[in-house]
Structure formats: structure tokens, C-alpha cells
Amino acid sequence: MEQTLFIIKPDGVKRHLVGEIIKRFENKNFNFIKLKMFAFDKDNATKFYYIHKDKSFFHELISFITSGEVVAAVIEGNNAIQATRLMVGSTNYVEAEPGSIRGDYALGLTSNIIHASDSKQNFEIESKIIF
Ligand code: CMP
């Protein structure tokens, strides 16, 4: 069994997609280990997205992720990291497959509904920042 983390971003919460997204992960048979709603402050957001600090989109990303409430979850299941990334879909909404969360709901590069850890190492770092 493996654990991973996802965050429903401010656009997903504002668009009332929390129930829909949680339902997809429950339907897939993941166990929910932790779940919380909160708002990132600038410090936490900068820590969370530190890996992107030198990217051109960093300031836009911090401003977006701190713009409202988010819902974060730690879930557990077989190959959770890879399976979750597939359910989330490509970062670029143009390439996100229909049937994936971003493929079905995202029409922006920064506002792309959901984040999911991309490795075990980043799951450890990210979940410590949030929980
Ligand atoms: P996320 O999976 O949360 O990881 C980094 C985030 O940066 C990404 O989703 C997008 O919301 C945002 N972002 C904005 N522009 C880009 C870009 N050009 N490439 C990748 N990520 C971007």
C-alpha cells in the first residue's frame, strides 16, 4: 500500500467540485487517511511550491493558490502515486485526457483544479507542510 496527497485548488473549491473529486477517489477504492480544508498563506505556499521558485509562472502560481480555500487529502491504495497522477491528468489542460479530472474540468494552466504529489519524496515533503 502506498500513500499520496492531492489538493483541490481554489478554482475547484469555488466551482463546487469537491464532492465530485472526492467521489472519484472513493470510487477507485482509495482509503482516505487525512482530509482538511484550509487556506494557504504566502509562506506555506512558497514552501509548498519551492521546487518552482525560479520558474516564470511562480508569482502567478502563489497568487492563485493563496486566493481561496483548498481541500487537501492523504489517500492510500495500490500504486497510489501513479494511479492518482493518471486520474488527475496532464498539467497542461490542452493535453489532459478526457476522463481525467483536469481533462474534464480544467481550461487553464495555472488554474488546473487539482495538485497531486509526483513522487514518494515529494509526498513526504508536501504532506509534512500541510498536515
Ligand atoms: P501543479 O501540479 O500544482 O504543479 C505546479 C503548478 O504550477 C501546476 O500544477 C500549475 O498549476 C502551475 N503552472 C502554471 N504555469 C505552468 C507551466 N507553464 N508549467 C507547469 N506548471 C504551471
Side-chain angles (χ1 to χ4, degrees):
M1 285 288 226
E2 185 176 67
Q3 292 192 354
T4 192
L5 170 130
F6 71 77
I7 298 173
I8 305 172
K9 298 184 183 184
D11 56 337
V13 173
K14 282 179 190 145
R15 285 173 55 186
H16 307 113
L17 292 170
V18 173
E20 168 61 30
I21 291 169
I22 287 176
K23 188 170 130 205
R24 287 182 180 220
F25 288 100
E26 288 202 309
N27 286 351
K28 185 77 173 170
N29 207 21
F30 280 114
N31 295 320
F32 275 72
I33 308 296
K34 293 176 182 171
L35 184 67
K36 89 167 177 187
M37 187 175 211
F38 70 102
F40 274 103
D41 62 25
K42 207 174 163 197
D43 281 358
N44 255 0
T46 302
K47 255 191 225 162
F48 188 82
Y49 278 126
Y50 189 74
I51 202 167
H52 296 299
K53 71 177 184 347
D54 296 325
K55 305 264 174 67
S56 58
F57 56 81
F58 185 69
H59 290 293
E60 191 184 347
L61 177 59
I62 297 304
S63 154
F64 166 66
I65 204 69
T66 57
S67 67
E69 300 279 312
V70 302
V71 172
V74 171
I75 56 173
E76 184 179 73
N78 291 334
N79 294 308
I81 293 171
Q82 196 186 351
T84 296
R85 296 281 292 181
L86 202 59
M87 289 171 69
V88 162
S90 302
T91 304
N92 188 338
Y93 65 96
V94 179
E95 291 164 10
E97 309 74 11
S100 68
I101 293 165
R102 286 170 175 163
D104 288 349
Y105 300 115
L107 209 53
L109 198 51
T110 302
S111 52
N112 59 358
I113 307 286
I114 185 166
H115 166 88
S117 303
D118 64 1
S119 64
K120 211 177 163 71
Q121 189 191 0
N122 282 337
F123 162 69
E124 301 290 349
I125 295 169
E126 292 173 357
S127 54
K128 265 183 207 127
I129 293 169
I130 290 175
F131 288 102

